[in-house]
Each structure stands twice: as structure tokens, then as C-alpha cells.
């Protein structure tokens, strides 16, 4: 990849997004994936894994605020948090803003991602260097299997369910997540687009709702992700994300507000139908 | 354009969306614009004007439900409706579902759009042939200037503010819209993406809010539009879209619900800031 080239993300074989590359900041084949940090003309510096844009400085705040603040404000007093993945550091950055949080274990499998983000995306990666964060380079699947009754909130901030993140989308993993949570704990994972990944959303909902008493998908718009519409799955032992008294952030946010939090759970019928065993297809 | 070619939509000179074309159904240079109806591999048949996707059978329901039902359910009893533009017929189709609506004037400037959509997008264009619809091929700008105190709801379903739709985005037009509305009337127009068209949204908000006592933008996700996030501007003389008692559709919808209606008005701070005279930039 050279400056001036196009980064081509194939959403399907017949639907592409193309970004012009202003600068190639980093390129490496890690033991886990192809890793690039590219400066895109329109969205600025971007982490790209296996040719898929993971996050850009232009719109990362939406994804990171919505994956962090929705679960952390759903829990009335989160103290212990586990982040699986999230090697860019943006989720850790948002989690550490919560005063009640005392310690964040962050388990990222690919050290090269951490190092590249620290060097080239410091405004995102700064989250990993917060004193509350215990950064572990290791396997998040093994980590949750080794911990029980420990966390208030677990955030699975993974790449897509191919490559190193594949094992983060199956029943055994979610059962271990349940076990690693305290009696009123909750977790969230990202499950991609209701327009392009319908069977994934249906499958994850089926598995998570068989384990957690409260399972609720929510939506956010992430312009650099396929279709713009992105889905998160929240599984909770006790607290509902729509409970009364969700707090207001004590710091300025760019996307999250308590009203945006509630709005994110108002699913259009075509998305809600994905949660029915015989649900119809969204979009297409 | 031939089958197998890519339809390339340049959102900016350095950011493109590409759709593979399965079939070219219609191509024509009209007096107003380049008109194509293409069958895309992923979203199905699509109306394309001046190389920009206007609507596809795969996701048109989102745009049409949100531009029609939000204003029509905001008004407690809409009887007379004006649609400016909307030559694909989808907005008329949704408007006519409202039992209270007695007559819909629809003023589309480009006869060729109507004819091509009737032939190739019948599931959308059927709206224009509803007995409630008075279809006029003509200039919507002149039409609103010639009518006063006549409509409960006006829907400006235009293409982007270039080409034939340019005159639909200035102060003189919105003043005429105000005059054409009854004493408790309201209108909506589409104002593109908060990520790519920030100055447009700011300008339209400024002009509309100087004329209408209630001016409120709302958001929807349209996967085939740039960034996925699409903004509509609602101007109302009396009724708030967040009033109590918004009715539930008496027919099955795919995207709109009263909860989705309310959620659409919960603006993230980065979008709300666009409405301040010295607002900061969204996204980039």
C-alpha cells in the first residue's frame, strides 16, 4: 500500500467502500492478522485489520462511547471492568472516565496492535495507559474461563468474527462471561450490521438470551462501518438498560447522552424481527 | 453503463461507494438530470439521479416511512398533504396509508422520473396511482408560491441541493412553505448527512428556525446514503413531534414505530452542536 492508493473494503463481492490513503503509517503481518495504520483523506488516521477499517480518529468516538457508556451507565455502580480486545485503547479511555470504576483488566491478544496504536493513534491509545488499567497481552477466551464472580461489566470489543475474534462468538465463551460476572453483572459485545450480518445477530441473540435473563440489542451509527448501522448485544443478570435513574456523564460527550442511550434500544420492526426464531430479513 | 459495471458514487473526491450493476434497466438524459434505473447486486433495483443513488428496493422503506410518518403522526389529524418531488412514489405510498388524509397533491418536476419508476419500480411507484393522489408534473417552488393556508403537512422529498432541487433549500422557498400551510401545519425536508453536509444542515436549520416556531431535526439510518446517517428537518407552526399521544400505525411498518419516532429526535451532542451558530464539526 502506498500513499494515494485506495483502501478497498469489500462489504460483499458486489459492494465496496473505498478510501483514498493520504499516508501509510504502519504495515505489518502479525501472528494474528494483517495490521495497518493508514491516514485516510476523509476520516483521518485509521486502524485497519485484515483490510477492514476498525476505527478512525474521525468517528471512533461514536463506537467507543456507545460500547462503553451504555453498559457502564446501565450498571448502577461499576467498579471492576474487563475489556476483551479493544487494542486501540478507545474503550479503555471511555471506561476510565467513570469515577466508580476502580480497576480495568484489558486483555488484548495482539501486542502489535497495541504498539502500533500507541505510536500512531495516541488520542485513542491513551486509554491503555490510564492508572486504572491492567493491560494484559493474552487470550481473552482463556482469561474469562479462568475468572469467576469478579466483574461488574465485561466489554467484548472484538474485530469481526473471523480471524482471532472467531472464538468470541460462541456459546462456551458467553457461558464463561456469565460466570466471570458478579451476581448483578452485565456484558456487551459488538455484532456488526443488521443489514449485512443478520444471521450473526440472530445467532448471538439466541445464545446470549439462553444464558442471560436480560438480553437486549442496541443500535448506533458508525459511518465507517458497513451500512452505517451497527448493533451491540447487551446481556445482563439483573439491571435493565432501560431502568429509571440512568446517570448523566459528568464529562462532555460527543455522542452518548442518557436520551441517546434509551433511543438506541428502540428497535425498528425489521431489526426486532431478527430476534424471532423465524424472523424475516432486514433490508434485502 | 453495462451489466457487470460498477456504479461509483463519489461522496467526496477521496471516499467512494461502489455497487456492482446486475442489470441496466433504464438510462436517459432528461431535461433536468441524468436518470438511471439499475439493478444492484446487493440492494436490488435502484433509482439513480446524476450518479447518486436516490432509493433502492432494498432499503427505501426506511427513508419513506421516516419522511412520511414522522410529520403525519406529529399532526393530530392530517387531511391535506403536499409532496414536492418524490417522483419515485414511495412517499405518496406511505402518506396514503393514513386514513385521515383526504387529498395529496404531489408536484414532481421531472416526468421522466415518474415514468421510469412506474415501469421499473412498481412496488414504490404504486403510491402515485392511489386515488387520493393528485399528481402534477410541474415546479414545486412555483406551486407553493401559488397556494396559501391550504395544507396540513408539506413533505419536501427532493434530491440533493444541486440540479433541479437547488431552489428547495433557500429562505424564499421556506417562507412560501410556511404560507401554504394551515395555522397548525408543519413540514419536513431532507437535509442529508450530519457527517458530510454539516453546513447545509446548519444553514437550513438557521433559515427554518427563523420562520417556524418549532424547528427540530431528526435522524434515520439509510444504508445506501453517505455515512448511513440521514437528517430530516421538521418545521411546525404548533404541534411538537414529541407531544403526547402520537398514534401507532394501523398497518404493519418495517422501520417506523412511535418509539422510533421519539428516538429519532434524540440528537447526539455532535449533531446538536450543528444547530448552534458557532457549532463545532461533527465527525471530522
Amino acid at each position: 500500500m502506498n500513499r494515494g492508493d485506495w483502501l478497498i473494503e469489500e462489504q460483499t463481492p458486489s459492494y465496496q467502500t473505498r478510501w483514498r490513503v493520504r499516508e501509510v503509517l504502519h504495515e505489518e503481518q502479525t501472528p494474528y492478522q494483517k495490521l495497518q495504520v493508514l491516514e485516510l483523506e476523509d476520516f483521518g488516521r485509521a486502524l485497519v485489520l485484515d483490510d477492514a477499517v476498525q476505527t478512525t480518529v474521525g468517528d471512533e468516538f461514536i463506537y467507543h462511547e456507545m460500547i462503553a457508556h451504555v453498559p457502564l451507565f446501565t450498571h448502577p455502580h461499576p467498579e471492576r471492568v474487563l475489556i476483551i480486545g479493544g487494542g486501540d485503547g478507545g474503550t479503555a479511555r471511555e471506561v476510565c472516565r467513570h469515577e466508580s470504576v476502580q480497576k480495568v483488566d484489558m486483555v488484548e491478544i495482539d501486542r502489535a496492535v497495541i504498539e502500533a496504536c500507541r505510536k500512531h493513534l495516541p488520542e485513542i491509545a491513551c486509554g491503555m495507559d490510564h492508572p486504572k488499567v491492567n493491560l494484559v497481552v493474552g487470550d481473552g477466551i482463556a482469561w474469562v474461563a479462568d475468572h469467576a464472580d469478579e466483574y461488574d461489566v465485561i466489554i467484548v470489543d472484538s474485530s469481526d468474527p473471523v480471524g482471532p475474534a472467531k472464538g468470541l462468538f460462541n456459546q462456551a465463551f458467553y457461558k464463561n462471561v456469565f460466570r466471570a460476572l458478579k451476581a448483578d453483572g452485565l456484558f456487551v459485545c459488538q455484532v456488526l450490521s443488521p443489514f449485512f450480518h443478520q444471521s450473526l445477530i440472530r445467532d448471538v441473540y439466541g445464545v446470549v438470551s439462553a444464558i442471560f435473563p436480560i438480553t437486549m440489542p442496541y443500535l448506533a451509527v458508525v459511518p465507517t462501518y458497513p451500512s452505517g448501522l451497527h448493533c451491540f448485544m447487551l446481556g445482563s443478570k439483573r439491571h435493565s438498560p432501560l431502568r429509571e435513574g440512568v446517570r448523566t456523564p459528568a464529562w462532555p460527550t460527543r455522542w452518548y447522552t442518557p436520551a441517546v442511550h434509551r433511543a438506541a434500544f428502540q428497535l425498528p420492526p425489521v431489526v426486532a424481527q431478527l430476534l424471532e426464531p423465524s424472523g424475516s430479513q432486514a433490508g434485502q
Side-chain angles (χ1 to χ4, degrees), chain A:
Chain A
M1 172 86 55
N2 297 297
R3 69 165 68 175
D5 286 352
W6 291 92
L7 169 66
I8 301 172
E9 188 167 333
E10 291 202 345
Q11 316 301 358
T12 76
S14 47
Y15 178 51
Q16 299 180 348
T17 311
R18 293 186 176 212
W19 291 270
R20 181 90 74 174
V21 175
R22 186 184 292 163
E23 202 67 69
V24 179
L25 299 169
H26 188 89
E27 263 189 321
E28 171 182 8
Q29 182 66 46
T30 82
Y32 301 100
Q33 54 208 337
K34 178 178 164 189
L35 161 63
Q36 296 170 300
V37 182
L38 306 175
E39 185 170 354
L40 308 177
E41 290 286 349
D42 290 279
F43 288 90
R45 281 163 289 120
L47 172 66
V48 180
L49 297 177
D50 289 335
D51 299 311
V53 171
Q54 302 298 306
T55 202
T56 79
V57 294
D59 70 349
E60 58 89 10
F61 64 95
I62 305 175
Y63 176 87
H64 291 130
E65 290 188 10
M66 291 300 281
I67 200 171
H69 300 327
V70 172
L72 283 163
F73 282 120
T74 294
H75 196 291
H77 193 73
E79 296 181 358
R80 292 280 288 119
V81 178
L82 170 63
I83 300 169
I84 294 175
D88 55 55
T91 299
R93 182 194 62 197
E94 296 305 316
V95 167
C96 290
R97 297 188 200 276
H98 290 253
E99 206 182 350
S100 66
V101 169
Q102 291 172 3
K103 187 182 170 202
V104 181
D105 293 330
M106 174 177 156
V107 184
E108 162 63 48
I109 203 165
D110 195 340
R111 183 186 299 275
V113 170
I114 296 169
E115 289 172 1
C117 292
R118 275 190 169 139
K119 184 166 180 193
H120 298 292
L121 301 168
E123 63 274 72
I124 305 175
C126 60
M128 293 184 280
D129 297 318
H130 194 284
K132 291 177 181 176
V133 174
N134 169 40
L135 180 59
V136 178
V137 177
D139 180 0
I141 296 169
W143 184 276
V144 290
D146 285 347
H147 290 75
D149 196 26
E150 185 163 340
Y151 297 105
D152 298 302
V153 174
I154 296 177
I155 299 175
V156 186
D157 179 13
S158 68
S159 50
D160 297 352
V162 290
K166 202 172 174 189
L168 298 174
F169 290 82
N170 66 45
Q171 191 182 38
F173 173 71
Y174 296 118
K175 282 188 171 169
N176 285 334
V177 165
F178 186 92
R179 208 170 55 91
L181 288 167
K182 291 183 193 161
D184 68 343
L186 55 101
F187 94 104
V188 68
C189 63
Q190 66 102 356
V191 287
L192 289 75
S193 164
F195 284 92
F196 287 108
H197 311 96
Q198 297 161 2
S199 60
L200 175 79
I201 293 174
R202 187 180 285 121
D203 291 350
V204 171
Y205 180 78
V207 171
V208 173
S209 63
I211 300 170
F212 284 83
I214 298 171
T215 305
M216 292 173 71
Y218 63 96
L219 301 172
V221 174
V222 183
T224 54
Y225 287 174
S227 87
L229 189 64
H230 204 74
C231 189
F232 300 88
M233 194 71 69
L234 184 142
S236 178
K237 292 187 177 183
R238 185 179 303 167
H239 306 292
S240 165
L242 297 178
R243 68 180 177 81
E244 293 296 308
V246 166
R247 283 157 294 138
T248 297
W251 58 90
T253 55
R254 299 176 72 190
W255 197 264
Y256 180 92
T257 67
V260 167
H261 172 128
R262 285 189 296 277
F265 288 91
Q266 309 307 323
L267 303 183
V270 82
V271 178
Q273 283 161 17
L274 292 178
L275 314 181
E276 299 163 9
S278 58
S280 67
Q281 299 275 301
Q284 306 164 47

